[in-house]
């Protein structure tokens, strides 16, 4: 089945699975993620049904901003980010900036608390909230989080790190979704924009954070870095994924190297990233499903991102491999998709962005329409250089024709 047909099939499923009245206006696993796919699909295909459904979710977001947590993953920040993306795709004003301004104004009243918070997770904490507000041009929270990042840095003989805030105490998470790699990206991205009083300390923290991360490198393993450090436990090699592991580590080092103009970090990052391209079997990759977070479609997007950022042929080949892997296994026989969520939950139906059908569909759309990749920034995949290396062609709406030539 052609990639375009797979995308059409996903759109039909998500149209049927996105209700007119939603109580799950969350980004990563709820209807916001589905709407994000449908909006991009409508932009690519001209499908009025998909556009209408995406705009319906946007209206629900606009009307339901109260009584919610602030998180990017399952709270207000993720919903506002979705609203902003739908606005951008259709060149509309749906009120995303107004909602973001109200959020920032509410947070201003808690400046002192924010400057000392330890809830600095990306998906589930204030790094994600900061990502939303700064992307819409609001900087007050960014300056508060700058102070908190400095305050919460843990000094170690091998560098600095930040403890995970998700559950267990004194866990050092090294991944891009929740840990050290995300902090390195934050420092690298904020360095040109933070207040002058912070710049020297940010440079010091960035260098020290990179040194700590490099000190965790494993020997004799298919993975070069672990996902966690927990007390005296022996670190275990990470799977190949967006959320944890060598790809996030390499991306963080690449951004840090470009930020501080350290070619040795860039060279190290490229070596780490190139070392991942041979991990194609389940034992070495850990891949069991097709979702974005820890599955094959996420790997396709990561290698696509790296190809655009570094223009290295090995990344293009890996992108193609994981794309084909995804297409071959995306059978969709029963109009459902099963994501693997570990030994406790095992395999469950997922239509969402993080590990479900919406995220897979967005990756496939990006392969046909490379200009439709703005959504990847919610996964902390900001451009490593100023602008993309490859200029995508304009949209010609060729996706609006199905295999038999009829209109969608």
């Amino acid at each position: 089945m052609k990639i375009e047909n797979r995308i059409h099939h996903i759109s039909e499923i998500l149209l049927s699975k996105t209700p007119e009245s939603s109580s799950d206006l969350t980004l990563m696993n709820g209807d916001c993620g589905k709407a994000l796919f449908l909006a991009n699909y409508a932009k690519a295909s001209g499908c009025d049904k998909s556009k209408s459904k995406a705009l319906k979710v946007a209206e629900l977001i606009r009307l339901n901003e109260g009584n919610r947590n602030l998180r990017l993953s399952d709270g207000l920040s993720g919903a506002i980010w979705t609203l902003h993306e739908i606005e951008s795709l259709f060149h509309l004003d749906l009120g995303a900036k107004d909602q973001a301004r109200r959020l920032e104004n509410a947070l201003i009243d808690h400046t002192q608390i924010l400057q000392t918070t330890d809830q600095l997770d990306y998906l589930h904490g204030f790094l994600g909230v900061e990502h939303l507000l700064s992307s819409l041009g609001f900087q007050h929270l960014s300056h508060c989080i700058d102070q908190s990042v400095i305050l919460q840095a843990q000094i170690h003989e091998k560098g600095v790190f930040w403890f995970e805030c998700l559950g267990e105490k004194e866990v050092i998470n090294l991944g891009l979704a929740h840990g050290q790699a995300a902090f390195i990206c934050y420092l690298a991205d904020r360095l040109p924009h933070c207040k002058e009083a912070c710049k020297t300390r940010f440079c010091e923290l960035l260098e020290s954070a990179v040194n700590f991360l490099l000190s965790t490198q494993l020997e004799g393993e298919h993975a070069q870095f672990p996902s966690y450090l927990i007390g005296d436990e022996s670190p275990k090699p990470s799977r190949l994924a967006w959320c944890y592991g060598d790809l996030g580590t390499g991306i963080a080092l690449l951004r840090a190297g470009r930020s501080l103009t350290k070619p040795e970090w860039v060279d190290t990052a490229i070596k780490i990233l190139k070392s991942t391209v041979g991990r194609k079997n389940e034992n070495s990759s850990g891949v069991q499903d097709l979702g974005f977070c820890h599955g094959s479609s996420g790997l396709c997007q990561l290698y696509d991102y790296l190809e655009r950022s570094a223009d290295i042929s090995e990344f293009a080949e890996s992108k193609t491999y994981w794309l084909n892997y995804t297409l071959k296994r995306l059978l969709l026989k029963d109009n459902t998709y099963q994501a693997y969520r570990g030994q406790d939950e095992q395999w469950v139906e997922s239509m969402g962005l993080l590990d479900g059908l919406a995220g897979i569909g967005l990756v496939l759309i990006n392969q046909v329409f490379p200009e439709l990749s703005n959504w990847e920034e919610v996964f902390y995949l900001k451009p490593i250089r100023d602008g993309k290396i490859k200029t995508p062609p304009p949209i010609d709406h060729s996706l609006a024709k199905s295999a038999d030539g009829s209109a969608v």
Side-chain angles (χ1 to χ4, degrees):
M1 183 181 279
K2 292 172 60 178
I3 186 171
E4 292 87 349
N5 294 351
R6 296 286 193 202
I7 297 169
H8 290 318
H9 197 169
I10 291 171
S11 74
E12 292 168 359
I13 294 171
L14 292 181
L15 276 170
S16 69
K17 296 280 188 178
T18 308
E20 289 297 316
S21 179
S22 174
S23 60
D24 188 13
L25 292 172
T26 63
L27 176 59
M28 290 300 170
N29 288 307
D31 291 332
C32 288
K34 299 173 196 174
L36 185 62
F37 167 83
L38 291 172
N40 278 273
Y41 177 76
K43 184 69 175 180
S45 69
C47 175
D48 289 336
K49 287 182 180 179
S50 295
K51 181 177 180 179
S52 177
K53 186 62 71 90
L55 290 175
K56 179 62 178 178
V57 174
E59 177 69 4
L60 292 171
I61 293 169
R62 191 182 67 80
L63 295 174
N64 294 276
E65 65 176 290
N67 299 320
R68 308 182 64 183
N69 73 65
L70 303 183
R71 293 190 289 262
L72 190 66
S73 57
D74 61 356
L76 183 59
S77 293
I80 297 174
W81 187 87
T82 305
L83 190 63
H84 177 61
E85 285 300 302
I86 294 173
E87 283 182 333
S88 299
L89 285 166
F90 300 131
H91 306 292
L92 299 171
D93 181 0
L94 302 174
K97 272 211 164 185
D98 290 337
Q99 285 199 0
R101 185 178 292 107
R102 286 192 290 273
L103 174 57
E104 186 190 49
N105 288 339
L107 290 171
I108 287 174
D109 294 335
H110 305 283
T111 294
Q112 190 170 4
I113 296 173
L114 293 170
Q115 288 177 337
T116 59
T117 183
D118 64 352
Q119 301 300 298
L120 295 174
D121 186 271
Y122 179 67
L123 283 184
H124 306 313
F126 279 105
L127 288 188
V129 183
E130 188 280 334
H131 173 84
L132 163 76
L133 292 177
S134 63
S135 67
L136 271 69
F138 298 99
Q139 294 293 319
H140 175 80
L141 181 65
S142 301
H143 298 310
C144 292
I145 300 305
D146 289 347
Q147 295 299 321
S148 187
V149 166
I150 292 172
L151 180 65
Q152 298 300 329
Q154 306 295 310
I155 309 301
H156 186 275
E157 62 181 5
K158 295 180 180 178
V160 300
F161 63 85
W162 291 262
F163 282 122
E164 181 182 273
C165 65
L166 295 177
E168 289 186 61
K169 292 184 178 181
E170 299 193 353
V171 173
I172 305 171
N173 189 312
L174 300 176
L176 189 56
H178 307 290
Q180 188 84 357
F183 282 100
I184 289 172
C185 288
Y186 178 84
L187 290 166
D189 295 344
R190 283 288 299 152
L191 191 56
H193 310 290
C194 66
K195 292 181 178 179
E196 286 299 321
C198 290
K199 286 189 183 295
T200 299
R201 186 60 181 142
F202 261 42
C203 288
E204 294 170 350
L205 284 177
L206 185 53
E207 184 153 7
S208 193
V210 167
N211 289 340
F212 182 86
L213 186 58
L214 292 175
S215 77
T216 68
Q217 196 162 7
L218 303 170
E219 294 184 6
E221 300 284 356
H222 50 257
Q224 294 203 38
F225 293 87
S227 298
Y228 303 93
L229 300 177
I230 305 176
D232 295 329
E233 293 183 21
S234 297
K236 298 177 181 178
S238 58
R239 60 190 170 194
L240 195 62
W242 167 75
C243 48
Y244 300 107
D246 296 354
L247 285 168
T249 298
I251 287 168
L253 290 174
L254 202 54
R255 285 183 26 199
R258 297 266 169 82
S259 178
L260 288 185
T261 318
K262 284 186 172 286
E264 65 274 20
W265 286 359
V266 174
D267 291 343
T268 298
I270 295 297
K271 288 178 183 177
I272 292 167
L273 293 165
K274 281 186 175 181
S275 76
T276 67
V277 301
R279 296 171 59 184
K280 291 186 169 69
N281 60 52
E282 186 177 322
N283 181 56
S284 63
S285 70
V287 172
Q288 298 189 52
D289 66 17
L290 313 181
F292 191 98
C293 182
H294 49 261
S296 60
S297 67
L299 297 180
C300 175
Q301 192 68 24
L302 285 165
Y303 284 117
D304 184 281
Y305 172 79
L306 289 170
E307 180 192 1
R308 283 179 272 132
S309 302
D311 202 21
I312 293 174
S313 61
E314 289 96 326
F315 298 148
E317 293 164 4
S318 289
K319 175 190 72 175
T320 300
Y321 173 84
W322 290 111
L323 173 62
N324 290 334
Y325 179 103
T326 302
L327 290 171
K328 287 176 183 176
R329 288 160 179 78
L330 191 61
L331 301 177
L332 305 173
K333 289 181 179 178
D334 302 315
N335 282 354
T336 188
Y337 170 69
Q338 298 287 317
Y340 184 70
R341 293 188 179 170
Q343 295 182 352
D344 293 336
E345 292 187 73
Q346 296 288 318
W347 295 88
V348 300
E349 179 180 292
S350 178
M351 298 291 120
L353 178 66
L354 189 65
D355 65 0
L357 204 53
I360 297 168
L362 280 168
V363 171
L364 298 185
I365 288 176
N366 184 60
Q367 295 309 303
V368 182
F369 296 95
E371 65 275 24
L372 294 178
S373 63
N374 286 346
W375 59 269
E376 70 185 358
E377 288 200 19
V378 80
F379 290 103
Y380 234 175
L381 300 180
K382 295 182 180 180
I384 293 173
R385 292 181 177 170
D386 293 333
K388 308 279 186 177
I389 290 177
K390 296 183 178 179
T391 302
I395 295 175
D396 64 3
H397 297 299
S398 60
L399 191 59
K401 298 293 183 179
S402 60
D404 62 3
S406 59
V408 175

